[in-house]
Amino acid sequence: MDYLQTYNDAYHKNYELFKKLAFESLESSKEMTRIFKDAFKLSISKASQKWHDDSSWEFFDSNSSYELLGKDRRYELNNTKKVLENDLKERFENLEIKRKKMFVDYSDYLQKTAKKVAIENVIELLDTSKKVLNTLYTIDRLDSFNFSTKFDYENKIDGYTSAYESLFPNEKKANESTDTDVLNENEKYLLLHILFSFIEESKKPTMVEIAKIITLANVHNENFLTAKYKNQNGYKILLNGHNHKVKKEVQREWIKSLLEKIKPYKLERTSDKLRMELKKLN
């Protein structure tokens, strides 16, 4: 059996179905003049309900098999194909008897997993596009929604920019900010420490996020080019991160300050990492 083909067919079929259900729900809500906040929740509910109609959904709610097919790669080549042939299949074979009976065979389990990944990705897409959808919903241009986070709505949809700025006035300030020197020197080194930790863990953020980190860090310290670089405070922060500070309350405030300052720049992976570190200090 071609596991990859089976998985891809099931995934794309369900991904398109869930998108269609969510979008049709939004259009229906617009016709009924439902406020966007409720319309958005309902659209996710409509898509999710189709997933919940499956008799085996409870299995996946208490199981992380679908995470094997997430964004983190396990193999250098043909990652999805190898996960399906090895990791996921092994997970299926090790299921408890009563759970295994929920599926006809591995092919059935594989297709149900594809369905789970599809609904998770659709929900993520909708959540990522929430502000765009809100704007299009407001100006009655839902038909222009492109299901792509890269689509240039601002320059292609009449009335989009003014509506967006009206709905999200603080966004304009963030987008107009060209002052990249918003961090103090220690915060810049801490930000670089986080970036290096991603590389060491083989969990690099997107290229755009890496570029933003480099731009924000913008370190100018000629002493790093000398033989005495290890004496630099920044070097110690690069090595030890927030642990460079002795007191936990100082570490917490340091991380909170950095989180607040980078918020306008949407460094998602970096912010998640900092929040995890903050949680460890509580």
Short mmCIF file of all heavy atoms in Angstrom, two decimals, residues 212-249:
data_model
loop_
_atom_site.label_atom_id
_atom_site.label_comp_id
_atom_site.label_asym_id
_atom_site.label_seq_id
_atom_site.Cartn_x
_atom_site.Cartn_y
_atom_site.Cartn_z
N LYS A 212 13.91 38.96 11.55
CA LYS A 212 13.42 39.96 12.50
C LYS A 212 14.29 39.99 13.76
O LYS A 212 14.59 41.06 14.30
CB LYS A 212 11.97 39.67 12.88
CG LYS A 212 10.96 39.97 11.78
CD LYS A 212 9.55 39.65 12.25
CE LYS A 212 8.51 39.97 11.19
NZ LYS A 212 7.13 39.66 11.65
N ILE A 213 14.66 38.80 14.24
CA ILE A 213 15.50 38.72 15.44
C ILE A 213 16.85 39.39 15.19
O ILE A 213 17.33 40.17 16.02
CB ILE A 213 15.72 37.24 15.85
CG1 ILE A 213 14.41 36.64 16.38
CG2 ILE A 213 16.80 37.13 16.92
CD1 ILE A 213 14.47 35.16 16.63
N ILE A 214 17.45 39.09 14.04
CA ILE A 214 18.76 39.69 13.71
C ILE A 214 18.65 41.21 13.61
O ILE A 214 19.52 41.95 14.07
CB ILE A 214 19.29 39.10 12.38
CG1 ILE A 214 19.61 37.60 12.57
CG2 ILE A 214 20.53 39.85 11.91
CD1 ILE A 214 19.95 36.89 11.29
N THR A 215 17.53 41.67 13.01
CA THR A 215 17.32 43.12 12.87
C THR A 215 17.13 43.78 14.24
O THR A 215 17.70 44.85 14.51
CB THR A 215 16.08 43.40 12.00
OG1 THR A 215 16.26 42.78 10.72
CG2 THR A 215 15.87 44.89 11.80
N LEU A 216 16.33 43.16 15.10
CA LEU A 216 16.06 43.73 16.42
C LEU A 216 17.30 43.68 17.31
O LEU A 216 17.55 44.60 18.09
CB LEU A 216 14.91 42.98 17.09
CG LEU A 216 13.50 43.27 16.56
CD1 LEU A 216 12.50 42.28 17.11
CD2 LEU A 216 13.08 44.69 16.93
N ALA A 217 18.07 42.59 17.20
CA ALA A 217 19.26 42.46 18.03
C ALA A 217 20.29 43.52 17.64
O ALA A 217 20.78 44.27 18.48
CB ALA A 217 19.86 41.06 17.90
N ASN A 218 20.61 43.59 16.36
CA ASN A 218 21.40 44.72 15.83
C ASN A 218 22.57 45.10 16.75
O ASN A 218 22.76 46.27 17.10
CB ASN A 218 20.46 45.92 15.65
CG ASN A 218 21.08 47.03 14.81
OD1 ASN A 218 21.95 46.75 13.99
ND2 ASN A 218 20.64 48.24 15.02
N VAL A 219 23.33 44.09 17.17
CA VAL A 219 24.40 44.32 18.14
C VAL A 219 25.63 44.96 17.49
O VAL A 219 26.09 44.51 16.44
CB VAL A 219 24.83 42.99 18.80
CG1 VAL A 219 26.03 43.19 19.70
CG2 VAL A 219 23.66 42.41 19.59
N HIS A 220 26.13 46.01 18.12
CA HIS A 220 27.36 46.66 17.66
C HIS A 220 28.35 46.67 18.82
O HIS A 220 28.31 47.55 19.67
CB HIS A 220 27.09 48.10 17.19
CG HIS A 220 26.20 48.17 16.00
ND1 HIS A 220 26.62 47.80 14.73
CD2 HIS A 220 24.92 48.57 15.86
CE1 HIS A 220 25.64 47.97 13.88
NE2 HIS A 220 24.59 48.44 14.54
N ASN A 221 29.21 45.69 18.85
CA ASN A 221 30.18 45.61 19.95
C ASN A 221 31.50 45.12 19.37
O ASN A 221 31.71 43.92 19.18
CB ASN A 221 29.68 44.65 21.03
CG ASN A 221 30.54 44.69 22.28
OD1 ASN A 221 31.70 45.11 22.23
ND2 ASN A 221 29.99 44.25 23.39
N GLU A 222 32.39 46.05 19.10
CA GLU A 222 33.67 45.71 18.48
C GLU A 222 34.55 44.86 19.37
O GLU A 222 35.48 44.20 18.90
CB GLU A 222 34.41 47.00 18.09
CG GLU A 222 33.70 47.78 16.99
CD GLU A 222 34.46 49.04 16.62
OE1 GLU A 222 35.52 49.29 17.22
OE2 GLU A 222 33.99 49.77 15.72
N ASN A 223 34.27 44.84 20.68
CA ASN A 223 35.08 44.05 21.60
C ASN A 223 34.96 42.55 21.32
O ASN A 223 35.82 41.77 21.71
CB ASN A 223 34.66 44.34 23.05
CG ASN A 223 35.08 45.72 23.48
OD1 ASN A 223 36.18 46.17 23.18
ND2 ASN A 223 34.18 46.43 24.16
N PHE A 224 33.86 42.17 20.64
CA PHE A 224 33.69 40.76 20.29
C PHE A 224 34.73 40.33 19.25
O PHE A 224 34.95 39.13 19.06
CB PHE A 224 32.28 40.50 19.77
CG PHE A 224 31.32 40.08 20.83
CD1 PHE A 224 30.44 40.99 21.39
CD2 PHE A 224 31.29 38.78 21.31
CE1 PHE A 224 29.56 40.61 22.38
CE2 PHE A 224 30.41 38.38 22.29
CZ PHE A 224 29.55 39.31 22.85
N LEU A 225 35.33 41.28 18.59
CA LEU A 225 36.32 40.96 17.56
C LEU A 225 37.73 40.86 18.14
O LEU A 225 38.68 40.56 17.41
CB LEU A 225 36.30 42.04 16.47
CG LEU A 225 34.94 42.24 15.77
CD1 LEU A 225 35.05 43.39 14.77
CD2 LEU A 225 34.50 40.96 15.08
N THR A 226 37.86 41.08 19.44
CA THR A 226 39.18 41.01 20.08
C THR A 226 39.33 39.71 20.85
O THR A 226 38.38 38.94 21.01
CB THR A 226 39.36 42.19 21.07
OG1 THR A 226 38.51 41.98 22.21
CG2 THR A 226 39.00 43.51 20.41
N ALA A 227 40.54 39.47 21.34
CA ALA A 227 40.82 38.24 22.09
C ALA A 227 40.15 38.24 23.47
O ALA A 227 40.08 37.21 24.14
CB ALA A 227 42.33 38.07 22.25
N LYS A 228 39.65 39.41 23.88
CA LYS A 228 39.04 39.51 25.22
C LYS A 228 37.51 39.41 25.18
O LYS A 228 36.83 39.86 26.09
CB LYS A 228 39.46 40.83 25.86
CG LYS A 228 40.96 40.95 26.10
CD LYS A 228 41.29 42.28 26.75
CE LYS A 228 42.80 42.40 27.01
NZ LYS A 228 43.15 43.68 27.65
N TYR A 229 36.97 38.80 24.11
CA TYR A 229 35.51 38.77 23.97
C TYR A 229 34.82 38.04 25.12
O TYR A 229 33.68 38.33 25.48
CB TYR A 229 35.12 38.12 22.63
CG TYR A 229 35.41 36.64 22.53
CD1 TYR A 229 34.45 35.70 22.88
CD2 TYR A 229 36.64 36.18 22.07
CE1 TYR A 229 34.71 34.34 22.78
CE2 TYR A 229 36.91 34.83 21.98
CZ TYR A 229 35.93 33.92 22.33
OH TYR A 229 36.19 32.56 22.25
N LYS A 230 35.52 37.06 25.74
CA LYS A 230 34.89 36.30 26.82
C LYS A 230 34.66 37.14 28.07
O LYS A 230 33.92 36.74 28.97
CB LYS A 230 35.74 35.08 27.17
CG LYS A 230 35.70 34.00 26.10
CD LYS A 230 36.42 32.74 26.57
CE LYS A 230 36.32 31.65 25.51
NZ LYS A 230 37.00 30.40 25.93
N ASN A 231 35.30 38.30 28.13
CA ASN A 231 35.11 39.17 29.29
C ASN A 231 33.85 40.04 29.14
O ASN A 231 33.45 40.72 30.08
CB ASN A 231 36.32 40.10 29.46
CG ASN A 231 37.58 39.31 29.80
OD1 ASN A 231 37.52 38.27 30.43
ND2 ASN A 231 38.72 39.83 29.36
N GLN A 232 33.26 39.98 27.97
CA GLN A 232 32.10 40.82 27.71
C GLN A 232 30.84 40.28 28.41
O GLN A 232 30.60 39.07 28.43
CB GLN A 232 31.84 40.91 26.20
CG GLN A 232 32.99 41.48 25.40
CD GLN A 232 33.38 42.85 25.88
OE1 GLN A 232 32.54 43.73 26.00
NE2 GLN A 232 34.67 43.04 26.16
N ASN A 233 30.05 41.20 28.94
CA ASN A 233 28.79 40.82 29.58
C ASN A 233 27.87 40.14 28.58
O ASN A 233 27.18 39.16 28.88
CB ASN A 233 28.11 42.07 30.16
CG ASN A 233 26.92 41.72 31.03
OD1 ASN A 233 27.02 40.93 31.96
ND2 ASN A 233 25.78 42.32 30.73
N GLY A 234 27.89 40.65 27.34
CA GLY A 234 27.04 40.08 26.30
C GLY A 234 27.37 38.63 26.00
O GLY A 234 26.48 37.82 25.74
N TYR A 235 28.67 38.30 26.07
CA TYR A 235 29.10 36.92 25.82
C TYR A 235 28.49 35.98 26.86
O TYR A 235 28.03 34.88 26.54
CB TYR A 235 30.62 36.84 25.86
CG TYR A 235 31.16 35.42 25.77
CD1 TYR A 235 31.14 34.73 24.57
CD2 TYR A 235 31.66 34.79 26.91
CE1 TYR A 235 31.63 33.43 24.49
CE2 TYR A 235 32.16 33.50 26.84
CZ TYR A 235 32.13 32.82 25.64
OH TYR A 235 32.61 31.53 25.57
N LYS A 236 28.46 36.45 28.13
CA LYS A 236 27.91 35.62 29.20
C LYS A 236 26.41 35.42 29.03
O LYS A 236 25.87 34.35 29.33
CB LYS A 236 28.22 36.26 30.55
CG LYS A 236 29.71 36.34 30.84
CD LYS A 236 30.01 37.15 32.08
CE LYS A 236 31.53 37.29 32.28
NZ LYS A 236 31.86 38.15 33.44
N ILE A 237 25.74 36.43 28.51
CA ILE A 237 24.29 36.31 28.26
C ILE A 237 24.04 35.37 27.08
O ILE A 237 23.11 34.56 27.10
CB ILE A 237 23.67 37.69 27.98
CG1 ILE A 237 23.84 38.59 29.20
CG2 ILE A 237 22.18 37.55 27.64
CD1 ILE A 237 23.40 40.03 28.98
N LEU A 238 24.88 35.47 26.05
CA LEU A 238 24.74 34.56 24.91
C LEU A 238 24.85 33.11 25.36
O LEU A 238 24.15 32.23 24.87
CB LEU A 238 25.82 34.86 23.86
CG LEU A 238 25.66 36.13 23.04
CD1 LEU A 238 26.86 36.33 22.14
CD2 LEU A 238 24.38 36.08 22.21
N LEU A 239 25.73 32.85 26.31
CA LEU A 239 25.93 31.48 26.80
C LEU A 239 24.82 31.02 27.73
O LEU A 239 24.34 29.90 27.63
CB LEU A 239 27.27 31.39 27.55
CG LEU A 239 28.55 31.31 26.71
CD1 LEU A 239 29.74 31.19 27.64
CD2 LEU A 239 28.51 30.13 25.75
N ASN A 240 24.43 31.90 28.66
CA ASN A 240 23.54 31.48 29.75
C ASN A 240 22.13 32.02 29.69
O ASN A 240 21.27 31.61 30.48
CB ASN A 240 24.17 31.89 31.10
CG ASN A 240 25.55 31.31 31.28
OD1 ASN A 240 25.75 30.11 31.20
ND2 ASN A 240 26.54 32.18 31.51
N GLY A 241 21.84 32.93 28.78
CA GLY A 241 20.50 33.49 28.68
C GLY A 241 20.07 34.20 29.94
O GLY A 241 20.88 34.87 30.60
N HIS A 242 18.79 34.04 30.32
CA HIS A 242 18.28 34.73 31.50
C HIS A 242 18.94 34.24 32.79
O HIS A 242 18.91 34.92 33.82
CB HIS A 242 16.76 34.58 31.60
CG HIS A 242 16.29 33.17 31.74
ND1 HIS A 242 16.27 32.51 32.95
CD2 HIS A 242 15.82 32.29 30.82
CE1 HIS A 242 15.81 31.28 32.78
NE2 HIS A 242 15.53 31.13 31.50
N ASN A 243 19.56 33.05 32.76
CA ASN A 243 20.24 32.53 33.94
C ASN A 243 21.48 33.34 34.30
O ASN A 243 22.10 33.12 35.35
CB ASN A 243 20.64 31.06 33.72
CG ASN A 243 19.41 30.16 33.67
OD1 ASN A 243 18.52 30.27 34.48
ND2 ASN A 243 19.37 29.29 32.67
N HIS A 244 21.83 34.26 33.41
CA HIS A 244 22.95 35.16 33.71
C HIS A 244 22.63 35.99 34.96
O HIS A 244 23.52 36.37 35.71
CB HIS A 244 23.20 36.09 32.51
CG HIS A 244 24.20 37.15 32.76
ND1 HIS A 244 25.53 36.90 33.02
CD2 HIS A 244 24.07 38.52 32.82
CE1 HIS A 244 26.17 38.03 33.20
NE2 HIS A 244 25.32 39.03 33.09
N LYS A 245 21.34 36.27 35.14
CA LYS A 245 20.90 36.98 36.34
C LYS A 245 20.72 35.97 37.47
O LYS A 245 20.19 34.87 37.25
CB LYS A 245 19.58 37.69 36.09
CG LYS A 245 19.60 38.66 34.90
CD LYS A 245 20.37 39.90 35.20
CE LYS A 245 20.22 40.92 34.07
NZ LYS A 245 20.99 42.15 34.33
N VAL A 246 21.12 36.32 38.68
CA VAL A 246 21.09 35.38 39.80
C VAL A 246 19.68 35.22 40.36
O VAL A 246 19.18 34.10 40.52
CB VAL A 246 22.05 35.83 40.93
CG1 VAL A 246 21.95 34.88 42.11
CG2 VAL A 246 23.48 35.88 40.40
N LYS A 247 19.01 36.32 40.64
CA LYS A 247 17.71 36.26 41.30
C LYS A 247 16.60 35.94 40.30
O LYS A 247 16.54 36.52 39.22
CB LYS A 247 17.42 37.58 42.00
CG LYS A 247 18.36 37.88 43.15
CD LYS A 247 17.98 39.20 43.83
CE LYS A 247 18.91 39.49 45.01
NZ LYS A 247 18.56 40.76 45.68
N LYS A 248 15.70 35.03 40.71
CA LYS A 248 14.62 34.61 39.82
C LYS A 248 13.67 35.77 39.50
O LYS A 248 13.16 35.87 38.38
CB LYS A 248 13.83 33.46 40.45
CG LYS A 248 14.54 32.12 40.36
CD LYS A 248 13.62 30.99 40.76
CE LYS A 248 14.31 29.63 40.55
NZ LYS A 248 13.44 28.50 40.89
N GLU A 249 13.42 36.64 40.50
CA GLU A 249 12.51 37.75 40.24
C GLU A 249 13.10 38.71 39.20
O GLU A 249 12.36 39.28 38.39
CB GLU A 249 12.18 38.52 41.53
CG GLU A 249 13.39 39.05 42.30
CD GLU A 249 13.86 38.10 43.38
OE1 GLU A 249 13.70 36.87 43.20
OE2 GLU A 249 14.35 38.58 44.41
#
